[in-house]
Amino acid sequence: MNLNPAAQLLRWENFMDQAIQEAQIAFDNQEVPVGAIVVDENFREISRARNLKEAAFNPCGHAEIYAITEAAQKMKNWRLTNCHLVVSLEPCPMCMAAIQQARLETVIFGAFDKKGGAISLGFHLHNDARLNHQMKVVGGVKGLECGELLSRFFRERREKYNSVLSSR
């Protein structure tokens, strides 16, 4: 489905709102607030997920990994060609590699992650000609809102940690 750029951005913003809802659930469960949605070529949701590293005791428990895995299982195909991933935080190198392996067409992310995001760190897996798949990346969609949720999460964690230290 081809939409003009303004209509397409509006669709991505709507899906980003849903990714932010998933991130808020993660926040409420003391997980780093990241949410992800996999969408098909007709802008239908296939899967959604949030970070679960703490609850699952899983260092690979990122929202992107869970959303990709669920989408592949639902579609009964690991190749998610013509699908898009909407995620509230710039994917890390591990997730960007998983996205590349899943053959997703587009990654749309909210907040940039200068300390952990693949692209911000210079890992341009999305357009590396040495790899067998390239994808489009759109960053900064509702980035301020996504970033504020992350900032609030880490601010509250630091305050809680400092409170425990000062009560000793």
Side-chain angles (χ1 to χ4, degrees):
M1 179 178 293
N2 289 328
L3 299 174
N4 69 51
Q8 199 168 43
L9 179 60
L10 184 59
R11 290 274 180 128
W12 296 143
E13 288 177 342
N14 289 335
F15 282 112
M16 188 62 73
D17 287 337
Q18 295 173 47
I20 292 168
Q21 289 174 0
E22 288 297 313
Q24 182 63 55
I25 295 168
F27 181 108
D28 295 342
N29 289 299
Q30 283 77 57
E31 298 277 357
V32 174
V34 178
I37 312 280
V38 174
V39 178
D40 73 11
E41 63 197 281
N42 295 311
F43 296 98
R44 290 183 303 238
E45 179 182 314
I46 300 171
S47 64
R48 63 174 52 212
R50 62 183 108 31
N51 272 8
L52 292 170
K53 285 176 74 170
E54 302 299 331
F57 308 107
N58 181 357
C60 299
H62 292 197
E64 299 95 308
I65 301 296
Y66 286 116
I68 290 167
T69 300
E70 182 182 332
Q73 290 171 351
K74 283 184 177 179
M75 295 184 74
K76 300 198 181 326
N77 193 341
W78 62 266
R79 292 174 190 87
L80 300 177
T81 54
N82 300 319
C83 293
H84 315 279
L85 178 73
V86 180
V87 59
S88 60
L89 181 64
E90 177 184 354
C92 71
M94 173 188 71
C95 291
M96 193 59 93
I99 292 162
Q100 194 272 338
Q101 287 294 312
R103 311 295 196 263
L104 285 155
E105 183 176 317
T106 314
V107 177
I108 300 92
F109 68 85
F112 284 86
D113 185 356
K114 295 189 184 334
K115 294 182 180 178
I119 295 168
S120 291
L121 293 171
F123 297 107
H124 298 280
L125 297 175
H126 65 290
N127 64 5
D128 189 326
R130 296 171 298 175
L131 298 171
N132 62 346
H133 177 72
Q134 287 77 45
M135 71 204 82
K136 292 176 263 181
V137 175
V138 178
V141 176
K142 294 206 165 212
L144 290 175
E145 190 174 340
C146 295
E148 174 49 39
L149 183 61
L150 286 153
S151 294
R152 186 165 47 98
F153 175 79
F154 287 111
R155 184 174 53 249
E156 288 180 14
R157 274 182 85 165
R158 281 190 303 275
E159 288 170 359
K160 191 181 292 185
Y161 178 76
N162 290 334
S163 174
V164 168
L165 285 180
S166 66
S167 68
R168 289 184 177 176

